[in-house]
Amino acid sequence: MNKWIEDAVVYQVYPKSFQDSNGDGVGDLRGVISRLDYLKRLGIDVIWLNPVYKNSGVDGGYDISDYRAIAPEFGTMEDFDELLAKAHARGIRIVMDLVVNHTSTEHPWFCASRRDRTNDKRDFYIWRPPYEGGVPNGVRSMFSGTAWEKDEATGEYYLHMFAREQADLNWHNPRVRRAVYDLMRWWLDKGIDGFRMDVINLIGKPEAMLRSDGSPDQNGFNGPLVVDYLREMNREVLSHYDVMTVGETGCVTVEKALEYAPLTGEALSMVFQFEHMDADAGERHKWTTAPLELRKLKTVMARWQTRMHARAWNSLYWCNHDQPRIVSRFGCDTDEESRVRSAKMLGACLHMMQGTPYIYQGEELGMTNYPMKTIEESQDVEAIGAYRELVTERGEMTPEEMMACIRRKGRDNSRTPMQWTAGRNAGFTSGTPWMPVNPNHTEINAEAQVDDPDSVFSFYQRLIALRKAHPVIVHGDFTLLMPDDPQVFAYTRCDGEHTLLVACNFSGEEAKLDAQAATRGERLIGNYEDEGCADTLRAWEARVTLL
Ligand code: TEU
Ligand code: CA
């Protein structure tokens, strides 16, 4: 793999909530341009831009109706070209979102496809006849309910693994694959630096899940042809450019990741795994208020770190536009001291591992979850659908119970506007923001942090700088220490020459370290001013030591 990819730190921009430039309340490309110097100052190398293509407004840009056009709310293609040029001028690369498991039902391909059973786009999507007068089978959408929608024109059903306005493309059709490769080349020829590929292990769905035979729900991830299609995409497109690719792969296992992102380079650069995001999952999967199980988190992270080492490349993330804020989730946001301390601890714990770190906008400020009161405030198709199903239709949860889950895990948490200042609308917009600004922007904002050496921002800046200064952070192997301890996450990284010791306290109580984790050395970074006692970590303490 290319060295620049191994060394890079990525910053994720959700443009809709990053910076508005024209007062319409929606973040846009010119807003991103105006904040490039902020990102440069943080020290990141790559921006992953969430979708900015023309879309039908159902799922935050993941319902694309034209792959080669910028949505008017985000600006124009000239704005995009300017962003790319100005980012490159600062040594920052741009990775675009590639959403090709599905298109919007407003995409011209789908408009043609639905017209009749014989048109030349019919096989671009997944159409099945009814089974006994109803849906073809029990496959369910990730956004609740059946994944099949009946279309009156032909009386057949099309598959949508997400919202009904997001129809799944038929990757088994070589013409679909060719059309996707064409649009990828179109963007790469413009000079972009890679793709983050949305639910890419859902392409190549197994035949068994598509039969119209009334069979029960089946998991469509990691179908047998996914890796073939990724290799083909690599041969046809990616291998001809110097690009970074990251596949978003829910339900991925280490075994599959070794095929999807091998260091030998015949598929993707890396994938996003989700197992660590289940360390606080419950009976109803994400819809729970269950606390973090640290032992589970450690087991998962250690498995990915050790099994991928020297064979495939990891991605490292706590947050993205689909996840709640990490400081509210695995840290503590109930008082200012704990918030700052635990945000830094979480940053250190993740950034000292092997792989490419991703920082989601506002994570570097320790931004928190949003105190949403009622479901009417939600703008998220996922939360609204889950509420309808679990509360309204099935009565499995009371409104209060479900709202507690949504406050803890819902996607709206990460989509409130970026907090730039303590002023009106946090400096995000001069108009009315499309999502409310978190009321805590008066305390938590970039302006208050960029010049403060003790801020979360400054801590992230130093974490990024450390990665550039110490090759052991990029290349070292990983050993988990104190695996059974319920409070401490400690590990070493070793490259034969240097050993790095990382010790983190995932609790607000003091924690004891064993002899190995308590070893003294040169302190590289920590979230307390003084070194403290060698064998004790204070509340939310993180220590990184070079042995
Ligand atoms: O997310 C894929 C996905 O699996 C989501 O259902 C994810 O698990 C969920 O949001 C977690 O709560 C991708 C995008 O990142 C997401 O924003 C889109 O809504 C989805 O694909 C459909 O394109
Ligand atoms: Ca705007």
Side-chain angles (χ1 to χ4, degrees):
M1 188 161 57
N2 284 341
K3 189 168 158 30
W4 75 262
I5 301 177
E6 292 189 339
D7 293 344
V9 175
V10 182
Y11 188 92
Q12 183 188 349
V13 170
Y14 191 73
K16 203 173 175 184
S17 305
F18 194 59
Q19 177 68 65
D20 178 21
S21 72
N22 61 353
D24 66 356
V26 178
D28 45 50
L29 292 171
R30 302 217 66 82
V32 182
I33 294 173
S34 73
R35 295 299 185 179
L36 284 172
D37 287 329
Y38 169 85
L39 299 180
K40 187 69 200 163
R41 186 162 176 190
L42 181 58
I44 56 96
D45 308 284
V46 179
I47 294 172
W48 152 27
L49 204 59
N50 279 102
V52 289
Y53 315 95
K54 196 163 169 242
N55 65 81
S56 41
V58 171
D59 184 23
Y62 285 91
D63 45 336
I64 296 171
S65 52
D66 186 345
Y67 287 107
R68 292 175 172 84
I70 300 293
E73 65 267 28
F74 292 133
T76 63
M77 196 55 82
E78 287 69 45
D79 295 334
F80 179 82
D81 293 340
E82 189 178 325
L83 169 62
L84 189 61
K86 290 195 164 152
H88 284 171
R90 287 166 176 78
I92 295 175
R93 291 177 154 96
I94 301 237
V95 162
M96 299 283 280
D97 225 300
L98 182 74
V99 189
V100 290
N101 170 69
H102 45 268
T103 72
S104 162
T105 49
E106 289 176 3
H107 193 288
W109 295 341
F110 190 79
C111 296
S113 183
R114 78 186 334 171
R115 227 167 273 148
D116 53 56
R117 289 185 205 192
T118 52
N119 73 79
D120 78 325
K121 292 288 184 300
R122 187 65 170 178
D123 284 343
F124 263 50
Y125 294 86
I126 301 168
W127 293 97
R128 291 294 180 270
Y131 174 74
E132 294 183 343
V135 292
N137 60 40
V139 172
R140 290 173 48 84
S141 152
M142 304 282 291
F143 290 160
S144 308
T146 173
W148 296 101
E149 181 76 7
K150 188 169 184 174
D151 203 48
E152 288 312 325
T154 58
E156 288 196 328
Y157 288 80
Y158 65 87
L159 183 79
H160 62 89
M161 292 305 292
F162 295 89
R164 66 164 64 85
E165 296 85 354
Q166 293 166 297
D168 281 49
L169 284 164
N170 174 19
W171 269 74
H172 302 309
N173 179 349
R175 288 172 58 225
V176 166
R177 305 206 296 278
R178 224 170 302 137
V180 169
Y181 302 157
D182 279 348
L183 77 90
M184 291 174 70
R185 282 188 208 102
W186 191 85
W187 281 99
L188 291 168
D189 289 339
K190 238 182 196 309
I192 69 161
D193 304 286
F195 291 109
R196 173 270 186 189
M197 301 182 186
D198 194 53
V199 288
I200 201 66
N201 59 337
L202 258 185
I203 64 174
K205 294 171 187 71
E207 259 318 303
M209 104 184 253
L210 303 176
R211 278 198 286 265
S212 186
D213 61 359
S215 55
D217 187 15
Q218 294 187 44
N219 181 333
F221 288 98
N222 305 314
L225 289 173
V226 174
V227 68
D228 293 345
Y229 294 155
L230 290 178
R231 286 183 188 146
E232 180 184 83
M233 178 195 278
N234 182 292
R235 266 194 321 273
E236 294 284 324
V237 186
L238 302 172
S239 60
H240 303 280
Y241 301 85
D242 176 21
V243 288
M244 178 183 130
T245 52
V246 49
E248 190 215 21
T249 50
C251 303
V252 75
T253 57
V254 170
E255 286 65 36
K256 283 290 167 189
L258 292 170
E259 293 180 18
Y260 298 159
L263 288 182
T264 42
E266 68 263 14
L268 304 176
S269 318
M270 66 192 106
V271 297
F272 289 130
Q273 58 89 13
F274 279 73
E275 279 191 276
H276 68 309
M277 293 284 104
D278 289 343
D280 59 355
E283 207 183 312
R284 282 190 195 82
H285 196 64
K286 86 179 259 181
W287 301 118
T288 169
T289 54
L292 166 67
E293 259 187 76
L294 183 65
R295 272 176 288 215
K296 193 166 167 191
L297 180 69
K298 292 195 291 187
T299 307
V300 168
M301 294 309 261
R303 173 153 34 82
W304 282 87
Q305 288 288 301
T306 52
R307 305 248 343 256
M308 298 278 279
H309 182 71
R311 301 171 75 190
W313 194 250
N314 269 303
S315 70
L316 304 170
Y317 75 95
W318 288 140
C319 299
N320 61 42
H321 64 294
D322 293 332
Q323 299 294 337
R325 294 286 177 180
I326 200 63
V327 70
S328 306
R329 184 181 187 179
F330 293 174
C332 175
D333 65 3
T334 52
D335 65 279
E336 183 61 6
E337 191 182 334
S338 308
R339 181 187 70 82
V340 171
R341 206 80 85 186
S342 63
K344 292 176 182 174
M345 182 280 287
L346 288 160
C349 184
L350 191 73
H351 281 244
M352 294 299 114
M353 291 188 201
Q354 186 169 39
T356 301
Y358 287 74
I359 301 168
Y360 179 70
Q361 63 186 43
E363 180 182 343
E364 78 283 13
L365 305 175
M367 273 177 64
T368 67
N369 280 352
Y370 177 74
M372 181 178 289
K373 290 193 191 65
T374 65
I375 191 66
E376 285 70 38
E377 288 176 72
S378 177
Q379 304 263 9
D380 175 22
V381 62
E382 181 190 52
I384 294 168
Y387 186 98
R388 192 191 315 117
E389 179 165 284
L390 295 170
V391 179
T392 316
E393 287 168 13
R394 295 206 203 141
E396 282 180 32
M397 278 200 242
T398 65
E400 293 71 33
E401 283 166 346
M402 187 61 187
M403 284 316 295
C405 297
I406 290 176
R407 269 194 297 278
R408 190 164 171 83
K409 300 296 255 323
R411 307 196 298 182
D412 294 296
N413 287 306
S414 55
R415 299 177 183 187
T416 62
M418 175 75 175
Q419 293 167 206
W420 295 106
T421 71
R424 187 164 164 263
N425 296 325
F428 165 69
T429 179
S430 58
T432 308
W434 75 278
M435 272 281 284
V437 174
N438 195 313
N440 66 19
H441 71 276
T442 46
E443 283 79 48
I444 306 172
N445 62 73
E447 194 174 50
Q449 294 196 25
V450 284
D451 293 318
D452 172 2
D454 292 328
S455 67
V456 180
F457 179 91
S458 299
F459 194 87
Y460 265 78
Q461 231 178 4
R462 281 157 57 211
L463 289 174
I464 296 168
L466 280 175
R467 177 167 285 265
K468 314 281 175 211
H470 297 276
V472 63
I473 301 174
V474 177
H475 301 289
D477 65 10
F478 178 99
T479 306
L480 184 67
L481 308 180
M482 304 174 66
D484 297 320
D485 191 280
Q487 271 174 290
V488 173
F489 194 155
Y491 58 88
T492 56
R493 302 284 314 282
C494 184
D495 64 2
E497 205 177 325
H498 298 284
T499 299
L500 195 73
L501 170 64
V502 181
C504 299
N505 182 356
F506 272 69
S507 83
E509 318 289 318
E510 272 194 5
K512 282 283 170 220
L513 294 176
D514 71 11
Q516 203 184 353
T519 314
R520 286 280 196 201
E522 179 198 340
R523 181 169 119 128
L524 290 187
I525 192 169
N527 61 354
Y528 276 80
E529 245 162 65
D530 60 291
E531 294 201 16
C533 258
D535 69 348
T536 311
L537 287 177
R538 290 159 284 187
W540 305 109
E541 182 164 9
R543 263 184 223 162
V544 180
T545 312
L546 202 55
L547 301 183

